[in-house]
């Protein structure tokens, strides 16, 4: 008798959209927690998130959501990569492999759709912050006791897992995003809470200054902080803050040997490249960019097709691999050029339109809009020196940040979302 009673109720619970919605929230939190630590777990949780969202979808509302620019442009960029296989000269295996880095963009519309209907979006951002704090503590520990590191690379000291570029991106984003609640709490005269968050923000910056930092973060972090000062502080206060930032940066540079070594490599790398054609970090980037512009000029409208980049660099290589001119790569370390080579001006227009419309989505006041704005700006700034939409870690930071924040912003504009599943969590 008990079986006949409980079985229908269990089936009803299995079909309950609210239960699936809560499961999707939990999976998104787990994805955010795992992002600083593991690529495998992020991939697994990304798939599980898609599977848990699927039962909650009301297709009419979902199709309306997909037509919004925040969702339509990532889909358009992925579609262009698929269509671009038709005119590429690369082997089909290479073409299909080149589509992979853009596949994560398809999760972004699902995140937007889900978090427009869920009130738990801030859980995701809190989980990411907590995970980055733990990573920062582990970084200090690994600096003091290198034997704890999973990575056995003396060059990347203070790295427990992954690499210093990914770690710097996480720490820089957290440090800047925390500036908004710090100022908000100070204005509300909640000094202790503000000081606690300030300590966290300073800890992230201190880790980059005294443990390890990427050169990309050195360039992008001041730009992001300046953006905050201009948007959220009075003009006189902004000028004061910028002057203080310059002074503090100079002091930190003076007392931090690690930061001086990192900044000194800008000049030394350039000189070694120009004088000896050596493949330094900056030198190969300059070499890649010059060749990429030539590739783009040869096919400016539709590019050379998906997966064509490495073959073009192989054909343009001059000399041995010990020289910068002999280097071969499938990624020119610039997002615009990586897209222009494969899909020409059409691809660049789609990319820039996506960035612009995502920036427009995060206009206004509030912590969520600030988070979304910083995620997009960091991707734009850092993509001057890397192809961060294509990269696994930074690409997922963009997808998760824009997807969750975008859904939350749209929810705030329309609390009773069209097609909201029965039993969905209310604000």
């Amino acid at each position: 008798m008990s079986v006949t009673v409980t079985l229908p109720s269990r089936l009803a619970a299995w079909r309950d959209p609210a239960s699936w919605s809560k499961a999707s929230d939990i999976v998104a939190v787990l994805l955010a927690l795992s992002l600083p630590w593991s690529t495998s777990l992020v991939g697994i949780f990304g798939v599980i998130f898609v599977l848990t969202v699927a039962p909650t979808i009301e297709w009419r509302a979902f199709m309306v959501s997909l037509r919004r620019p925040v969702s339509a442009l990532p889909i358009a960029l992925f579609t262009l990569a698929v269509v671009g296989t038709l005119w590429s000269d690369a082997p089909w295996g290479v073409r299909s492999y080149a589509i992979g880095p853009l596949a994560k963009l398809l999760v972004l519309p699902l995140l937007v759709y889900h978090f427009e209907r869920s009130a738990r979006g801030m859980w995701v951002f809190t989980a990411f912050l907590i995970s980055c704090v733990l990573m920062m503590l582990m970084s200090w520990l690994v600096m003091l006791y290198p034997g704890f590191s999973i990575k056995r690379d003396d060059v990347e000291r203070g790295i427990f897992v992954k690499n210093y570029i990914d770690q710097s991106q996480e720490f820089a984003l957290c440090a800047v995003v925390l500036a908004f609640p710090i100022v908000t709490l100070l204005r509300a005269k909640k000094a202790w809470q503000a000081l606690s968050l300030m300590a966290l923000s300073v800890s992230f910056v201190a880790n980059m200054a005294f443990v390890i930092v990427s050169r990309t973060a050195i360039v992008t972090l001041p730009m992001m902080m300046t953006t905050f000062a201009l948007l959220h502080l009075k003009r006189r206060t902004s000028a004061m803050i910028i002057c203080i930032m310059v002074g503090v940066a100079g002091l930190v540079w003076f007392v931090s040997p690690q930061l001086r070594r990192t900044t000194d490599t800008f000049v030394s790398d350039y000189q070694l490249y120009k004088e000896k054609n050596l493949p330094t970090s900056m030198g190969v980037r300059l070499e890649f960019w010059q060749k990429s512009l030539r590739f783009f000029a040869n096919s400016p409208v539709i590019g050379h097709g998906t997966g064509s980049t490495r073959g073009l660099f192989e054909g343009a290589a001059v000399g041995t691999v010990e020289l910068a001119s002999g280097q071969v790569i499938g990624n020119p370390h610039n997002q615009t050029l990586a897209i222009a080579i494969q899909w020409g001006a059409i691809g660049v227009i789609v990319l820039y339109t996506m960035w612009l419309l995502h920036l427009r989505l995060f206009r206004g006041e509030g912590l969520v809009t600030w988070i979304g704005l910083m995620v997009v700006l960091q991707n734009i700034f850092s993509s001057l020196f890397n192809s961060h939409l294509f990269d696994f870690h930074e690409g997922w930071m963009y997808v998760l940040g824009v997807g969750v924040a975008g859904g939350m912003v749209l929810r705030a504009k329309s609390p009773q979302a069209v097609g909201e599943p029965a039993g969905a969590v209310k604000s």
Side-chain angles (χ1 to χ4, degrees):
M1 184 68 173
S2 61
V3 174
T4 58
V5 172
T6 58
L7 184 58
S9 62
R10 290 179 179 177
L11 291 174
W14 180 258
R15 294 193 298 267
D16 182 18
S19 298
W20 283 108
S21 180
K22 186 175 182 179
S24 299
D25 292 329
I26 295 172
V27 173
V29 168
L30 293 174
L31 196 160
L33 283 171
S34 62
L35 185 54
W37 303 86
S38 171
T39 55
S40 300
L41 286 177
V42 170
I44 292 169
F45 288 133
V47 173
I48 296 175
F49 177 80
V50 173
L51 296 177
T52 55
V53 168
T56 72
I57 291 177
E58 294 188 7
W59 290 100
R60 182 177 297 178
F62 183 57
M63 296 308 295
V64 172
S65 177
L66 292 184
R67 290 196 292 269
R68 289 170 169 159
V70 63
S71 299
L73 270 299
I75 296 173
L77 195 56
F78 174 80
T79 303
L80 183 59
V82 174
V83 175
T85 60
L86 300 178
W87 61 83
S88 174
D89 292 331
W92 275 103
V94 176
R95 301 184 211 187
S96 59
Y97 182 80
I99 297 173
L102 288 168
K104 57 184 170 288
L105 292 178
L106 297 180
V107 182
L108 196 154
L110 288 171
L111 286 164
V112 172
Y113 176 81
H114 174 72
F115 283 101
E116 188 179 359
R117 289 154 178 76
S118 169
R120 300 188 180 101
M122 194 54 67
W123 289 15
V124 179
F125 295 130
T126 303
F128 181 75
L129 176 62
I130 291 172
S131 192
C132 287
V133 170
L134 294 175
M135 178 62 77
M136 183 257 294
L137 295 175
M138 182 59 71
S139 177
W140 285 108
L141 180 64
V142 168
M143 184 195 71
L144 298 173
Y145 304 100
F148 285 107
S149 177
I150 294 177
K151 295 177 70 69
R152 303 296 181 179
D153 187 347
D154 293 334
V155 175
E156 296 189 0
R157 66 172 196 152
I159 301 298
F160 176 70
V161 69
K162 292 195 176 183
N163 58 72
Y164 71 102
I165 298 176
D166 295 348
Q167 183 170 291
S168 295
Q169 288 292 104
E170 297 160 355
F171 292 0
L173 180 62
C174 290
V176 177
V177 165
L178 285 171
F180 184 90
I182 289 170
V183 170
T184 302
L185 289 169
L186 286 174
R187 288 172 177 169
K189 302 187 184 304
K190 298 180 179 180
W192 284 111
Q193 295 95 318
L195 289 173
S196 299
L197 294 183
M198 191 179 299
L200 276 182
S201 182
V202 171
S203 297
F204 284 122
V205 176
N207 183 276
M208 290 187 286
F210 295 100
V211 181
I212 193 166
V213 66
S214 70
R215 283 173 288 189
T216 300
I218 291 176
V219 175
T220 59
L221 182 59
M223 299 168 71
M224 295 164 70
M225 290 300 297
T226 301
T227 301
F228 172 77
L230 294 176
L231 288 180
H232 295 289
L233 300 175
K234 295 179 180 179
R235 188 171 302 177
R236 180 179 298 177
T237 306
S238 298
M240 292 175 58
I241 292 293
I242 292 172
C243 291
I244 293 172
M245 285 171 50
V246 172
V248 170
L251 178 62
V252 171
W253 184 88
F254 181 77
V255 300
S256 171
Q258 167 64 26
L259 191 59
R260 288 201 302 274
R261 282 194 297 270
T262 304
T263 53
D264 287 346
T265 58
F266 281 104
V267 177
S268 61
D269 281 5
Y270 178 77
Q271 290 175 339
L272 289 171
Y273 165 66
K274 294 300 291 183
E275 296 172 4
K276 300 181 180 181
N277 195 21
L278 293 182
T280 62
S281 179
M282 177 175 287
V284 292
R285 273 181 168 82
L286 294 173
E287 187 74 18
F288 296 156
W289 295 347
Q290 292 172 28
K291 291 178 178 178
S292 297
L293 290 172
R294 292 201 298 269
F295 301 152
F296 173 63
N298 291 334
S299 183
V301 179
I302 62 172
H304 297 270
T306 304
S308 61
T309 307
R310 188 171 187 86
L312 291 169
F313 275 105
E314 288 175 349
V318 177
T320 64
V321 293
E322 287 77 19
L323 301 176
S325 58
Q327 294 289 305
V328 174
I329 198 169
N331 181 350
H333 292 285
N334 177 282
Q335 190 64 66
T336 301
L337 293 175
I339 285 179
I341 291 171
Q342 298 179 86
W343 310 301
I346 294 175
V348 174
I349 291 171
V350 174
L351 171 67
Y352 282 25
T353 304
M354 182 185 76
W355 276 338
L356 176 62
L357 293 178
H358 285 171
L359 286 174
R360 285 173 58 86
L361 177 64
F362 298 119
R363 292 181 301 175
E365 295 294 330
L367 177 58
V368 175
T369 56
W370 173 245
I371 294 172
L373 180 66
M374 284 298 98
V375 170
V376 179
L377 282 180
Q378 184 184 49
N379 190 264
I380 293 173
F381 293 153
S382 64
S383 288
L384 295 172
F385 312 102
N386 304 277
S387 301
H388 272 168
L389 274 180
F390 292 172
D391 292 343
F392 183 91
H393 184 83
E394 288 78 11
W396 269 106
M397 285 176 64
Y398 188 87
V399 167
L400 191 64
V402 174
V404 176
M408 294 175 71
V409 168
L410 293 172
R411 177 183 176 84
K413 293 178 180 178
S414 179
Q416 300 298 326
V418 177
E420 187 172 33
V425 179
K426 305 293 183 181
S427 296

